[in-house]
Structures are given as structure tokens and as C-alpha cells.
Amino acid sequence: VDVRGSADPPVDPNEADEAAHAASSTHPDRRSFLAGGAAGLAGLAGLGLTSCRADELIDNASVAPTAAPVSTATAAPTNPPPTATAQLGDFRSDTQPGVLLPRTAAGIFATFDVAVDDPTELAPTFERLSAEIERLMTGGPVDQSDPIRPPDDSGLLGEDPGATGTVITVAVGASLFDDRFGLVSRRPAELIPMPLFFNDRLVQAGLSHGDVGVLIHAHSPQAAARALHQIVRVTERRLNLRWVQEGFNELLEPQPDQVASTRNLLGFRDGTSNPDKSDAAVMDEHVWVRPEDDEPSWAVGGTYLAVRTIRMLIEFWATAALVRQEQIFGRHKESGAPLGLELEADEPVFAATREDEGVPLGSHIARANPRDGGPRILRTGFSYLNGVDPAGELDQGLLFIAYQRSLRSGFLAVQSRLDGEPLEDYIKPVGGGLFFVLPGAGPSPEGYLGQSLFA
Ligand code: HEM
């Protein structure tokens, strides 16, 4: 499959922009996106790249079950630096600790479809899953005293490795709230199946959606694999794997003036601009569902999760001039600073005209965050490398992960603003899903992930 979709770009960024977009009759204003100024803004408005589109997506969605063949994709493991140990979050809290975790060297996102026929089996399945996750996160003991029984733990990290820094987050998809389990009235108000966006023609159902989503953060691919083994083992015949994506991060040595802890596979620093995770008030404003929200009460302490497996057309990207690459993002490649500035932490200055220095209004960061004081999303993620496609091109990209208090004003609004961005020539989403991260297991030893949902 040729996923590139357009010819090799000319080197001049302005010419490149014209050429890349001239063919796009559905997006007549695209050529002005990198130009900035009034033309760029008119382009955004003309395409309806506002939160109205997010409203439509939610209002018109139906929660149909999404049967799909099991499909898995695996990445080549990388060796993380020895210092890249995940910080252990506290499992027994009101929110799941994985949400605020710094990037980790390794990870897996897996989704499952529920296979129980009897709805009363659902809560015990989550209880079992939750107990195993607590054991994996806290390093609970393994009983392997009886040699004629299979070991309780796969042993990938040794017989009894203790706490290894693995942190696991559990979320539920819109399909869990169809008519199978009596949960129709308990669906989080904005949880819909992932809709298709402008650039989503390669998105496959077999790599998308799921009744349950599990995100594993770990310090090594082996530790992540061990956690997935254990989750599959304890939920066997009740949760069926639907799709799996492995990922990794190159964790940069901390440096003065450096904000992002990694670079993505397009070579840019990734994670520079995020709401401040260390500020509880900021997290309450942008990430956690709060009692005053128009949501079911069980959902307080949860958060919406958007996951997108976004392939990068790296061979094509490698032909784009550096200046074009930087204009596409609005940041300098090496330093991560906004265009025209020196430090990664500097606030971007948007270019008023095409001739101005500064960050083009059509760039990724200007569209993603117009800095209008509106809601923000909390991004994390992993790079992935899945080998080679039938056309001989690298199958690699970004496992994009974002948390937000509202899908409508979070991911759906941001993605709608990004629809038609120049970066789309070089990236093609292939899968993903929208989920709701369950509230934490809580301080009581009897509490488990999902308890408030099934109460
Ligand atoms: C392969 C796909 C993508 C790549 C390579 C990419 C890369 C980047 C880079 C390099 C930055 C600037 C550094 C930073 O602040 O982290 C950035 C910022 C950002 N991206 Fe993406 N991104 C991708 C997809 C997305 C998607 C799907 C969304 C949301 C729908 C998104 C939302 C954002 C936001 C909100 C920012 C911060 C803007 C700011 O506050 O300055 N990105 N991205």
C-alpha cells in the first residue's frame, strides 16, 4: 500500500507548501496554513476547525459494539538506559497513578473485548484484574511453593522480583456501555467510539477500540511484557485481547533548559508543552473529572483517554528541508525552542504575517494550542517500530496518548483543529481508541479498579 499520497516535496518551504496542498480540493485554504496572519485564521474558521466539530462528533455518536478480528502489532525492543526507571505511583489512591507518570522507557497499550456471557461475572473480572495489577505494581509475593502447579508468575523478571517500577492504568471503552452488561445508563457523558478524522483513511477496526484498555508503563520491554502476560493470564477466557501496541522512549539525560524528556521518531523533542502535572489545581482543571461535571458520580477521579497509533512516513519526511520540518511544528528541531526564540521553555510568539519570524499560525503547535486560555490536554506516549510494510517502508510512528477532563473540549477539539495541518502529509493514523480511565482503587484494601462503576 502506498501511503504517501503525494509527490516528493520541493526544497523551498513556501513552494513545498504550495505543492503539497495544491491538489487538496477539499481544503482550499490549506496553502495559507503556514502563512500565518488573517489568511491562516480565515482558513481555520472556514474549515470549521473549532469545538463545534467536537460537539457534532459526540452528539451524533452511537455506542455500537465493534467486533473486529484480533490483531496484534509488536515492536522491536530497545535497551533502555539503566537510569530509566519508572517512578512508582501509589496504587491505593483516588486516582490512578499512571496518568501523571513521567515518560518511561518502555510500554504497551493493549485493548480487550469482554467475553463473559453472564453480566454478573464482569465485576469479579475487574476485581481479579485489579488485584493482579496491584501485585505487579507493589511487588506482592508470588507463591510458587508447589512444583506440580504452573507458577503464578511467568518469571520473566525472576521468581519474585518485587516492585519493578511497572505502573498500569485501566480504562474502559464506549462499547462496554452497550446493552450487554446493563451499563447503558452509566456511560461517561462524552465517551464515544473513536470517530474517523480527515487523515484517518488507513485506520483499521482491528487496531482500534476495545471494551477495556490497559496501559503498561515499565522501565524495560521485558517488564512490560511480563505485566501483559500476567494480565492475560488472570483474565483468561473473560477478556480477549483485541490489539496490542508496544512502544519505547529514548529518555534524554536531564539538562539545564531542557523540558521534554524524549525525542520522537521525526527527531523533534516531544513533551515540551503540557499542563503542569505537579500542580494539583491545574490537574483538577484540565485532567480529572470533578463532582461538579455533568458526569455520572462513579466517574469522579477518572479522566478521558485518547490513544492514537500514528504511523510516520519517515522516508518521505527525510526528504523535507529542515526549515520546512521546523515550520510544520513551529519549533526548532535541535533546541525545541519556538521558532525565532532560543530556549525550549520560551513562550511561542505567533507570526502575524507570512514574512514575520515566529511560529506560523498553521503550524502544529499553534493549531494544537492557540493559547487562548481554553482547556488543555495532558500528553504522553511512546515511539513504536513494527518492522517493515509490504512496500518495503518502515512501519514506525507515535503511540499518542492524551488525558483530559473533557473529550469534547480536549482531544476532539484539538484533533479537529489539527485536521488538514501540513504535518498530515507525513503521518497517517492507523488505529487507536477513546477510553475513560477508571477512578483509583482508593485507600480501602477491599477497593478495586472499577468498583464505583459496578456498585
Ligand atoms: C505523529 C503525530 C504527532 C507528532 C509527531 C507530534 C509532535 C509534536 C511536537 C514535536 C510538538 C512540540 C513539542 C511539544 O510540546 O511536545 C507537539 C506539540 C503538541 N501536540 Fe503533537 N504530535 C503529533 C500528534 C498530535 C495529536 C494527534 C495531537 C492531538 C490531537 C497533538 C497535540 C499536541 C499538543 C496539544 C501540543 C502542544 C502544543 C503547545 O502547547 O505548544 N499532537 N506535537
Side-chain angles (χ1 to χ4, degrees), residues 269 271-273 310 329 364 368-369 371 379 400 411 415 418:
R269 293 180 184 223
T272 306
S273 174
I310 306 175
F329 283 113
H364 185 73
N369 179 4
R371 289 169 169 78
R379 286 173 303 129
F400 170 92
F411 171 75
Q415 182 57 62
L418 290 176

